[in-house]
Structure formats: C-alpha cells, structure tokens
Amino acid sequence: MKDIKTYVDKHQKRFLDELIALLKIPSISADKAYKKEVFNTADAVAERLKEAGCDLVEICETPGYPIVYGELIKDKNLPTVLVYGHYDVQPPDPLDLWDSAPFEPVIKKTELHPDGAIFARGACDDKGQMYMHVKALEYMTQNDDLPCNVKFMIEGEEEVGSENLGWFIARNQEKLANDVILISDTGMIAKDTPSITTGLRGLSYVEVEVTGPNRDLHSGLYGGAVANPINILTKMIASLHDENNHITIPGFYDKVEELSAEERAKMAEAPFSLENYQKALDIDSVYGEAGYSTNERNSIRPTLDVNGIWGGYIGEGAKTVIASKAYAKISMRLVPDQDWKEITELFKKHFESIAPKGVRVKVKPHHGGQAYVTPIDSLGYQAAEKAYEKTFGKTPIPQRSGGSIPIVSLFERELNSKTILMGFGLDSDAIHSPNEHFGVWNFFKGIETIPHFYHEFTKLKMAEK
Amino acid sequence: MKDIKTYVDKHQKRFLDELIALLKIPSISADKAYKKEVFNTADAVAERLKEAGCDLVEICETPGYPIVYGELIKDKNLPTVLVYGHYDVQPPDPLDLWDSAPFEPVIKKTELHPDGAIFARGACDDKGQMYMHVKALEYMTQNDDLPCNVKFMIEGEEEVGSENLGWFIARNQEKLANDVILISDTGMIAKDTPSITTGLRGLSYVEVEVTGPNRDLHSGLYGGAVANPINILTKMIASLHDENNHITIPGFYDKVEELSAEERAKMAEAPFSLENYQKALDIDSVYGEAGYSTNERNSIRPTLDVNGIWGGYIGEGAKTVIASKAYAKISMRLVPDQDWKEITELFKKHFESIAPKGVRVKVKPHHGGQAYVTPIDSLGYQAAEKAYEKTFGKTPIPQRSGGSIPIVSLFERELNSKTILMGFGLDSDAIHSPNEHFGVWNFFKGIETIPHFYHEFTKLKMAEK
C-alpha cells in the first residue's frame, strides 16, 4: 500500500480548510429556522464527494432532509464498503457557554491536543469524522489505491432520530447493497489507546405535558388548593427512580441482557480513573444505579434522563403564578434485547397511570432506536483491528458505548450486513456540549487508518470466497 | 352626603378613558427592559393625583422605582386616610394565551360582566382598583364632600416584593402619619356578595439552582453515570411534600396559627360551590393538604408552590443532553405567626441539606412578607362595613385571602395603623394570568363606595375623641 501518511502530511492545510468550510454552515436539523442551511450542507457534501472521486453522486430527496449518496464501483466482483455519516448537527445552545462562536471554527491548542483542535459545533459529531472518510477516498482515488467498491450514505437527520432513513433504505436496498458498513460517529478511549465500539445503547425519546387548571393562576389565591402542574411533574419524574436508582417502570428490565461476571471482568480491564473522571466534570461524586460501576452504568445498563424541563415563569425576577402546563423531554437509553417501541409504550402507560387527579397528562413519543452489538470475530472487526495496529502500533480494545446510533440495528435488519464503528473522537471532545472540538491529530489519524481498513477487509473477504 | 352615583354616571366615559390610558403603559417592574415605561407610569399617576385635587404631589425617588405621594390636608384636627396602591404590573407572558394584546385595553361583555369588563394587564391588579381611589377623591374635591385628610402612596415595585417601600417608609414616618390605611388590591366573593379581606398570607419567594457536571453532557455517553441536575431537582422538589401534602421542611409548621373549630365553621359559611370552582378551572378534582377544605387550603394554611422551572433543552425537537444546571422559582405562602425570614432560612437550610453528592445547590432568597389579620371590631372595619351596606345594601362578609400584600404588616409595624382591604375584583378576573380584566360595574361601584368609607370612618373617629 502506497504511503498514505506522506499524502496526508502534504495536504493537511487543505483538508482542514475544507472541513472548516463545512463546519461554518449551521446545519441544525432540530430547528426549522435552519432549514435552508441544512439543505446547503447536503449540497456541499455532494460536491466534496464528487471531488474525492465518486463516479456517481446523488442528493436523494426524502420526506425530510435529503440523503447524500455517492459511489465508486470498481468491479462488481470486489467487496463493497458502505460508509455512513451525518451532516446535521446538534443545536449549539447554551450559546453563552461557548468560548468562540459555534459556527465560526477556530483551531486552538489544548493540553490533550498539542497539535491543536478544531472548535465548532459538529467538529467531531459528525462532520469532522464523516469528512475523514471523504479524504481517505480522495487518497485512494488519487493514488490508484482503492482495493474495493465504496458507497457513501450521508444523512441530515441523525440528531433528530433519522426519521426518514428507514424510508430511504427500504426503497433503495439494491443501491445500498454492501459487504460491510463503516461508521465514524463514536470515540476511542485515548489517543494512545485505540478502541472499537462493539456495542451501542438503544434510545426511546419522549416529551411529556402535564396540564392542570385551564389558565395560569395567582399562586396566592389558588396556591395549595389546586394541583400545581410543575409540582406534580416533579413528583411524577422523581418517582421514575427508586432509592437504588433502579427505574420503576413496570416491565422496564424484563428483557435486559445480563452480562456474565466474566464479561464484566473483561470490561473492567479498560483503563479508567474515577478520580480523573470526576475531576474532568468537576463533581465530588458519581451517581447511578446501585450495584454497577460507572463504566457499566453508561454502557451495559439502561437509563432514564430528563433532557429538558420547563414550565411557569422563567424570566427575570419573580412572578407568583401557578402555571397551567409543565413540560419535560425525557430519554431512555436501552441495552440489547430491549425493544425501543415496547419501552416507549411501557413508559407511556406507566406515566399516564401515575398522574394524580386534578391534572391531565400527555406523552408524545419523539423517536428511538434499538441497541446493537458487533461480534469481535466478524470479518469487519478483524479488518478494523489490523488497520489500527498498522497506524497506532497497538491492538484496539473492544468497547461498549453508552451512546445510540439507532440506525445501526436498522442497517443489520434491512441491508443485513454488520456495522463497524471506527471512532476517532475523545470523551473530552464535548460533543452535544458548548465548545465541541475535534483534535487535528485525530482527524489526520483517522484519514490515515481508514484506507488500511479497506485493504484488510478486501483481503479477508476475498480469502473467504 | 351628596349624590355620588349621579356624579359617577355622568363621568363614566371619561373615567374609563383615563384608566385605559394608564393601562396602555407596560409598567412591568420584574423586567428591566420596561424600566422607562415604569417611570412614565409614575409620572402619569402623579398627574392624575394633581387633577383629582391633591394640593401636594411628589414623585419620590428610591433606590428602585419611585413612589408617587399625594396629599390633601384639610385640617390637622381631622382624621387622615392613607391610600396605598401600586402602578406596576405582572409580566404578561405567556403572550399567546391572551385574546387581545395585554397593553391594548379593550372593553368586552362577559357572562359575569354584562356591562363589560376592561381586558388588560393591570386592569384589576392594581391600576384599575388604585384608580377608583383617585376618582373617588375627584368626586369629593369637586363636590366639596371630603370629610377628612387624605394621603396617597402609590408604589411601583409591589409585583417584585416592594423592595424599597420599607426604606421609604422608614424615612417618611411623619409625612405618612395616618389614622387608617385603605387598600384596594384584593377581591370580593361575588358582585352580590361583598366581602372585606381581614387576613392575608405572608410570602417567602426563593430561587434555587442545582449544578451537576461543569458542562452539558451527551446523555448517551454519561447518562446513568452522573447526577442529572434536572432529575435531582425534581427529586428534591418532590420531597418537599409528603403523601398528605404536608410540607416536609423541619420546623415549617411550628408557629402556624391553628384556627378553632368555631372559626373554621364560620369560614365555611361563605358561599362556595366546589363544582363551579372545578368547572371554572376545568379540573376533575381539587388537590391539597389532607384534612382541610379548599377555602382553608388557600387562606389559613401555608403552602409551597413551584412558580417556574427550567433546565436543559427546551427548544423544538429533541436534544440528548444532560444539562449542567437546573433552576426553579419556588414560593411559600405563610400564615399568621410564621416569620417569612425565618421560613426562608428553614427552606434554605433544608434544601441544601437534601442535595445528594454529585450536585451543588444554591438557594437565593428573592423577597417575602409577613401574614396579617385585621380585627373585625376595628374602627376601619366598622366604617368599611357601613360603606358597603350603603352601596350594596348588604353587610359584607369578612374573608381570609390566600394572597399576600407583604407591606400590610410593614405598615402596622412602621406606621402603627390598621389596614382596611376593600377589594372590588372577582376571582374570575384572572389577575397574574392571560386575559386579566376588571368589570366596569365593579370599577364604578368601587368609586361609589369609597367616599362612604371616608365619611363613616371620620364619624366614628371623631366620636371616639
């Protein structure tokens, strides 16, 4: 294989400039106000794919935001790698906590990133990691070093639950046919500790509304005499966990995959410092389900978190009011064998059942996805392992992630192929938070590693035939 | 006494036009953005007082918004009535629930108000009721029918806790010397059931902040492993009431005045229909402290209500985030013998004590005031009773209100005189809510009744000498 490192070094500046241009477009899929920018981002991604050497690029309309499809078919008899990524980003608020504007990327050195990191919303999740694949393709086409066929599917609704991806895949199964799916939308343990994500949590995201009196009331004249929707909402949410932080929704744990003591022991080998973890978050203690370690709590155990809550007067000063309505956005992270639709139903049924007289409750399911596990003996995992060994000089650690990429299980079901999650981000990259960033070193290391995966996978796949 | 009814009938249109002009100024004291308008409202009130016949009117500066003072001293040997009111208003939000703009007053007929009601923020609380006193003075000066001295003290910070009124009173005790204080900032039971408020609840208003991790986190990567400030806040708030809806703050009830069975029986005589109450609020059940009736729950019992709560992502769509901070505005209504400063301390101490490891809690006291009771055998009450009998042909019912006018107990302490609360609003006037309004009939009835109070009080006071 030709020297990719030399190629990357030579084009570093251009690669960064191209990524920065992409990061400048505020493609916030959750907020309709940015509709135009989301569409513009799709156009930009299509352009980059053409330039990188795809011989077919399409902007595929969906009922929602378009999916950018690109392909380079060398030979029908060669294996095909399908790259998935997303060009939409999380909303940037709270804006006042950003040190620089979220859509005006800046490169700054940090302790962890002496070569600098790109600070911008989407820098790591997922524009930066998605773009590594585009540049890896450029290297392979420019240097006649592409060993197989490649397809790209870059969507614009990942941050809002990939609402139309299923719709698209169902209509394009032949077009999307592949031997393995490659995604970089996760992280690795550390720069000197490469890891491959083998498990993802599922998700059920709901919004709840509690309605009391038909109008806002004076808290003096009515206080204590009518159900206050905010007080009731806090009572209802608080009751969703017991004193051991187990979730109290009947049936919630029925299908939870219980790991063996041996598996848990293997997990516990991953390097982890509770002290540094707490220090990084400035907390005096972790908090979670009794009987499980921090790494288990956020990977192999299901959870329930309120992502947003609002009601009543939240402006400056004081207002003595009893609100008519209170709201919360609640998400549950699920583990293998929990079905997200079933869990959403269980939540709805339970939450409605615990509403006291005097209020009315609405539960609106938002979106969700199934949990997923990749066997470490699969061809794709084996190829990825070898790729990391070539560029990091180390065997990567298989890791369960607490995050969700709902569509991974969808891929397995609809396209019936395995997904390999090669993530190059770090926990400290603050994805979904103010000051999201992505290390320049990580960006280049990703571009460097990906072509090795293509070669290793093609070798293994051809050997299999 | 000359015929005030004729005078009011003759000037109805002008009285309404003048009030509407006052209601058009958005004097929202809680929101600094309206600073200029609040000051302009003070100027307007001063003008109206001059026109009504005050021989001295001053706009008195304070560290906050000014207090408008006016007086008409007839004879040092005559009794003096001090009228208190406020020209500031509550914030109008949520704006989308108003049928007409809150600061563009309209007069509309309603089932309860066949003569029409003025819809605007402040129509009843308190511009409309305050202005009844200005017009009552106009009648008395225009018709040489003022039997005593009168002083006005109209402030602009009542809706934010009258922060500087104590400061002003302490510096002007001689200027404010009086024999009785008259306030119209409460309601009456019904148009055909006049009532005088003899009791008010005290208030303690606080804001709480719960801080977890030092930044917003991805709920997938951290969910279940760290304390989520919103979940914790709901747990803490929920724990402030037990299963009987008693407040769990240690010492909270220690000084609560317990009414005798006889007093409670007398209270229960006030006409009240639980069915209509629930129907008016569109609720299937009332909710509150076990062992007390609805009327007791919102008058003689202390309460704790969340007035506002916020944290995390509250925008459109979904964001899978664990917020770094969550907030709530909480107010407690207090009853006689509970000291608001002591209760605020008890709350602070307790709330901080129940914070679990993994979060930090801040409690910021906002403002407060003491509860108050007016004896029905006081001169002022006797005079008010007679005044209502003259204009309503009925003896008013003494009533405990759940609301708070913190400064009433301040008046008693600093000026050592009793306050009479002659309220002409109705529960249905939606004060502090969208579509606040004030019946035109009530407005005129108030103007008509007030001069009778002046005459009755002067008679009783002079007889006492």
Side-chain angles (χ1 to χ4, degrees):
Chain A
M1 178 171 160
K2 310 225 172 54
D3 187 355
I4 174 162
K5 184 143 192 356
T6 321
Y7 186 84
V8 173
D9 292 346
K10 186 167 154 214
H11 298 285
Q12 281 192 353
K13 188 178 175 315
R14 178 172 55 86
F15 288 0
L16 286 174
D17 292 344
E18 290 171 7
L19 173 56
I20 284 169
L22 208 55
L23 290 168
K24 281 184 175 170
I25 320 177
S27 49
I28 306 165
S29 50
D31 189 341
K32 287 195 176 60
Y34 293 88
K35 193 170 179 182
K36 196 163 148 300
E37 286 80 0
V38 180
F39 277 96
N40 292 343
T41 313
D43 298 340
V45 170
E47 269 316 304
R48 302 288 89 75
L49 282 173
K50 276 183 211 136
E51 293 164 7
C54 284
D55 52 20
L56 170 66
V57 175
E58 299 171 344
I59 293 178
C60 309
E61 293 311 318
T62 75
Y65 288 119
I67 287 163
V68 182
Y69 174 80
E71 68 175 32
L72 179 41
I73 304 301
K74 250 180 103 157
D75 176 342
K76 291 251 170 305
N77 303 316
L78 288 170
T80 300
V81 176
L82 173 65
V83 175
Y84 164 87
H86 62 94
Y87 62 82
D88 63 324
V89 300
Q90 280 276 319
D93 46 283
L95 281 169
D96 54 331
L97 296 185
W98 284 77
D99 298 331
S100 58
F103 298 106
E104 289 163 26
V106 292
I107 296 180
K108 282 183 297 187
K109 287 183 166 46
T110 73
E111 200 178 316
L112 262 172
H113 299 291
D115 306 335
I118 311 157
F119 284 79
R121 168 59 81 229
C124 178
D125 177 15
D126 180 48
K127 284 173 176 170
Q129 296 213 72
M130 174 268 285
Y131 205 61
M132 298 183 308
H133 292 268
V134 181
K135 293 296 99 178
L137 175 67
E138 175 191 310
Y139 157 76
M140 293 185 281
T141 53
Q142 292 295 311
N143 298 275
D144 187 25
D145 199 19
L146 178 67
C148 57
N149 305 313
V150 57
K151 296 175 177 177
F152 280 81
M153 172 169 61
I154 314 299
E155 73 154 315
E157 299 184 312
E158 199 271 345
E159 299 295 4
V160 289
S162 303
E163 282 163 15
N164 298 292
L165 191 66
W167 177 92
F168 177 75
I169 292 175
R171 285 162 179 70
N172 297 278
Q173 290 184 319
E174 199 155 320
K175 173 187 237 161
L176 299 170
N178 65 81
D179 298 285
V180 70
I181 295 166
L182 189 55
I183 304 180
S184 297
D185 196 17
T186 50
M188 58 182 182
I189 291 171
K191 286 167 80 174
D192 58 2
T193 314
S195 57
I196 299 171
T197 302
T198 54
L200 291 167
R201 286 198 286 190
L203 177 74
S204 167
Y205 199 112
V206 301
E207 190 162 319
V208 301
E209 173 189 296
V210 175
T211 305
N214 53 2
R215 58 188 168 91
D216 288 3
L217 300 174
H218 186 296
S219 68
L221 303 182
Y222 292 90
V226 298
N228 176 329
I230 302 177
N231 288 76
I232 299 297
L233 179 60
T234 63
K235 254 194 194 319
M236 292 173 73
I237 291 172
S239 77
L240 296 176
H241 289 92
D242 68 15
E243 65 284 4
N244 293 316
N245 279 308
H246 292 302
I247 293 156
T248 57
I249 299 167
F252 185 82
Y253 291 101
D254 287 0
K255 297 183 177 170
V256 169
E257 164 207 57
E258 287 293 343
L259 272 69
S260 67
E262 183 196 359
E263 283 175 284
R264 291 176 66 180
K266 196 149 185 293
M267 274 189 66
E269 284 166 14
F272 177 74
S273 156
L274 187 59
E275 193 192 331
N276 294 345
Y277 185 84
Q278 293 182 175
K279 214 166 123 221
L281 300 174
D282 187 21
I283 51 177
D284 61 0
S285 168
V286 291
Y287 184 94
E289 187 179 9
Y292 294 90
S293 73
T294 292
N295 281 335
E296 290 172 333
R297 286 168 175 170
N298 63 22
S299 63
I300 62 168
R301 297 300 295 171
T303 60
L304 183 150
D305 275 293
V306 181
N307 301 108
I309 191 166
W310 68 103
Y313 184 66
I314 63 180
E316 196 192 345
K319 188 178 176 189
T320 50
V321 68
I322 291 176
S324 171
K325 290 173 181 290
Y327 307 83
K329 293 175 193 274
I330 299 174
S331 67
M332 289 159 283
R333 296 285 169 171
L334 311 176
V335 296
D337 302 345
Q338 282 184 301
D339 176 76
W340 78 269
K341 290 200 168 113
E342 186 185 341
I343 292 293
T344 304
E345 262 318 297
L346 289 177
F347 177 92
K348 192 173 190 300
K349 197 158 147 276
H350 177 65
F351 203 74
E352 287 165 350
S353 75
I354 60 175
K357 276 184 157 243
V359 300
R360 278 159 290 141
V361 168
K362 267 194 218 150
V363 176
K364 175 182 145 214
H366 245 300
H367 64 274
Q370 307 294 34
Y372 176 80
V373 178
T374 308
I376 62 176
D377 56 7
S378 61
L379 280 196
Y381 187 89
Q382 297 296 326
E385 194 172 64
K386 290 195 169 60
Y388 280 98
E389 283 166 353
K390 284 220 156 54
T391 51
F392 286 79
K394 280 188 179 179
T395 301
I397 296 173
Q399 191 190 27
R400 289 280 194 110
S401 162
S404 304
I405 310 182
I407 40 77
V408 170
S409 52
L410 172 76
F411 292 159
E412 179 157 43
R413 204 169 57 250
E414 297 280 326
L415 303 175
N416 128 68
S417 51
K418 284 287 173 195
T419 295
I420 305 304
L421 299 161
M422 294 175 71
F424 293 89
L426 300 178
D427 269 8
S428 53
D429 289 344
I431 67 171
H432 290 215
S433 301
N435 302 314
E436 173 179 354
H437 57 282
F438 187 37
V440 165
W441 181 91
N442 303 64
F443 179 58
F444 295 137
K445 204 70 173 173
I447 299 172
E448 211 185 304
T449 307
I450 289 160
H452 288 287
F453 173 83
Y454 282 69
H455 283 270
E456 297 301 332
F457 183 75
T458 305
K459 258 188 265 166
L460 291 169
K461 190 72 189 173
M462 298 309 279
E464 202 186 40
K465 286 183 177 172
Chain B
M1 178 171 159
K2 310 228 171 53
D3 187 355
I4 172 162
K5 185 144 189 359
T6 320
Y7 185 84
V8 173
D9 292 346
K10 187 169 154 211
H11 298 285
Q12 281 191 353
K13 187 176 178 316
R14 177 172 55 86
F15 289 180
L16 286 174
D17 292 344
E18 290 171 7
L19 173 57
I20 284 168
L22 208 55
L23 291 168
K24 282 183 174 170
I25 320 177
S27 49
I28 306 165
S29 50
D31 188 342
K32 288 197 177 61
Y34 292 88
K35 193 170 179 183
K36 196 163 147 300
E37 286 78 1
V38 180
F39 276 97
N40 291 344
T41 313
D43 297 340
V45 170
E47 269 316 303
R48 301 288 91 74
L49 282 173
K50 275 183 212 138
E51 294 164 5
C54 284
D55 51 20
L56 169 66
V57 175
E58 300 171 342
I59 294 178
C60 309
E61 294 310 319
T62 76
Y65 287 120
I67 287 163
V68 182
Y69 174 80
E71 67 174 32
L72 180 41
I73 305 300
K74 246 180 109 159
D75 176 342
K76 291 249 171 304
N77 303 316
L78 287 171
T80 300
V81 176
L82 172 64
V83 175
Y84 164 87
H86 63 93
Y87 61 82
D88 63 323
V89 300
Q90 280 276 318
D93 46 284
L95 281 169
D96 55 331
L97 296 185
W98 284 77
D99 298 331
S100 58
F103 298 106
E104 289 163 25
V106 292
I107 296 180
K108 281 184 297 185
K109 288 184 167 42
T110 74
E111 201 178 317
L112 262 172
H113 300 292
D115 305 335
I118 311 157
F119 284 78
R121 169 58 84 229
C124 178
D125 176 15
D126 178 52
K127 284 174 177 170
Q129 295 214 73
M130 174 269 287
Y131 205 62
M132 297 183 308
H133 291 270
V134 181
K135 294 296 100 178
L137 175 67
E138 175 192 310
Y139 156 76
M140 292 186 282
T141 53
Q142 291 296 312
N143 298 275
D144 188 25
D145 198 18
L146 178 67
C148 57
N149 306 314
V150 56
K151 297 176 176 177
F152 281 82
M153 173 170 60
I154 314 299
E155 73 155 316
E157 300 184 311
E158 199 272 343
E159 301 295 5
V160 289
S162 303
E163 282 162 14
N164 297 292
L165 192 65
W167 177 92
F168 177 75
I169 292 174
R171 284 161 181 71
N172 295 278
Q173 290 185 320
E174 198 156 322
K175 173 188 239 164
L176 299 170
N178 66 82
D179 298 286
V180 70
I181 295 166
L182 190 54
I183 303 180
S184 296
D185 196 17
T186 50
M188 58 182 183
I189 291 170
K191 287 167 80 174
D192 60 1
T193 315
S195 57
I196 299 171
T197 303
T198 55
L200 291 167
R201 287 198 285 191
L203 176 73
S204 167
Y205 199 111
V206 301
E207 191 162 318
V208 301
E209 173 190 295
V210 175
T211 305
N214 54 1
R215 56 185 170 92
D216 288 2
L217 300 175
H218 186 295
S219 67
L221 303 183
Y222 292 89
V226 298
N228 176 328
I230 302 177
N231 287 76
I232 298 298
L233 178 60
T234 63
K235 253 192 195 322
M236 292 173 73
I237 290 173
S239 77
L240 296 176
H241 288 94
D242 68 15
E243 64 284 4
N244 294 316
N245 279 307
H246 291 301
I247 293 156
T248 57
I249 300 166
F252 185 82
Y253 290 100
D254 288 0
K255 297 184 177 170
V256 169
E257 164 208 55
E258 287 293 344
L259 271 68
S260 67
E262 184 196 359
E263 284 175 282
R264 290 177 67 181
K266 196 150 185 291
M267 275 189 66
E269 286 167 14
F272 177 75
S273 157
L274 188 60
E275 192 192 334
N276 294 345
Y277 185 84
Q278 293 182 176
K279 214 165 124 222
L281 300 174
D282 187 22
I283 51 178
D284 62 1
S285 168
V286 290
Y287 185 94
E289 187 180 10
Y292 295 91
S293 73
T294 291
N295 281 335
E296 291 173 333
R297 285 168 175 171
N298 63 20
S299 64
I300 61 168
R301 298 298 296 171
T303 60
L304 183 150
D305 275 293
V306 180
N307 302 109
I309 191 167
W310 69 103
Y313 184 66
I314 63 179
E316 196 192 343
K319 188 178 177 189
T320 50
V321 67
I322 292 177
S324 171
K325 289 173 181 289
Y327 306 83
K329 294 175 193 270
I330 299 174
S331 67
M332 290 159 282
R333 297 287 169 169
L334 311 176
V335 296
D337 302 344
Q338 283 183 300
D339 177 76
W340 79 268
K341 290 196 167 115
E342 187 184 340
I343 292 294
T344 304
E345 262 318 298
L346 289 176
F347 177 93
K348 192 172 189 302
K349 197 158 147 275
H350 176 65
F351 203 74
E352 287 166 352
S353 75
I354 60 176
K357 275 182 158 250
V359 301
R360 278 158 290 141
V361 167
K362 267 194 218 151
V363 176
K364 175 180 145 216
H366 245 300
H367 64 273
Q370 306 295 32
Y372 176 80
V373 178
T374 307
I376 61 175
D377 57 7
S378 62
L379 279 197
Y381 187 88
Q382 296 296 325
E385 194 172 64
K386 290 196 171 59
Y388 279 98
E389 283 166 352
K390 284 220 155 55
T391 51
F392 285 80
K394 279 188 178 177
T395 302
I397 296 172
Q399 194 191 24
R400 290 282 193 107
S401 163
S404 304
I405 309 182
I407 39 76
V408 170
S409 51
L410 173 78
F411 292 159
E412 180 156 42
R413 203 169 59 251
E414 297 280 325
L415 303 174
N416 120 70
S417 51
K418 282 287 172 195
T419 294
I420 304 305
L421 299 161
M422 293 175 72
F424 293 91
L426 300 177
D427 269 8
S428 53
D429 288 345
I431 67 172
H432 290 213
S433 302
N435 302 314
E436 172 179 356
H437 56 282
F438 187 36
V440 165
W441 181 91
N442 303 64
F443 177 59
F444 295 136
K445 203 69 173 176
I447 299 171
E448 207 185 306
T449 307
I450 290 160
H452 288 288
F453 173 84
Y454 281 68
H455 283 270
E456 297 300 333
F457 182 76
T458 306
K459 254 187 267 165
L460 292 168
K461 190 74 190 171
M462 298 309 278
E464 202 186 42
K465 287 184 177 173

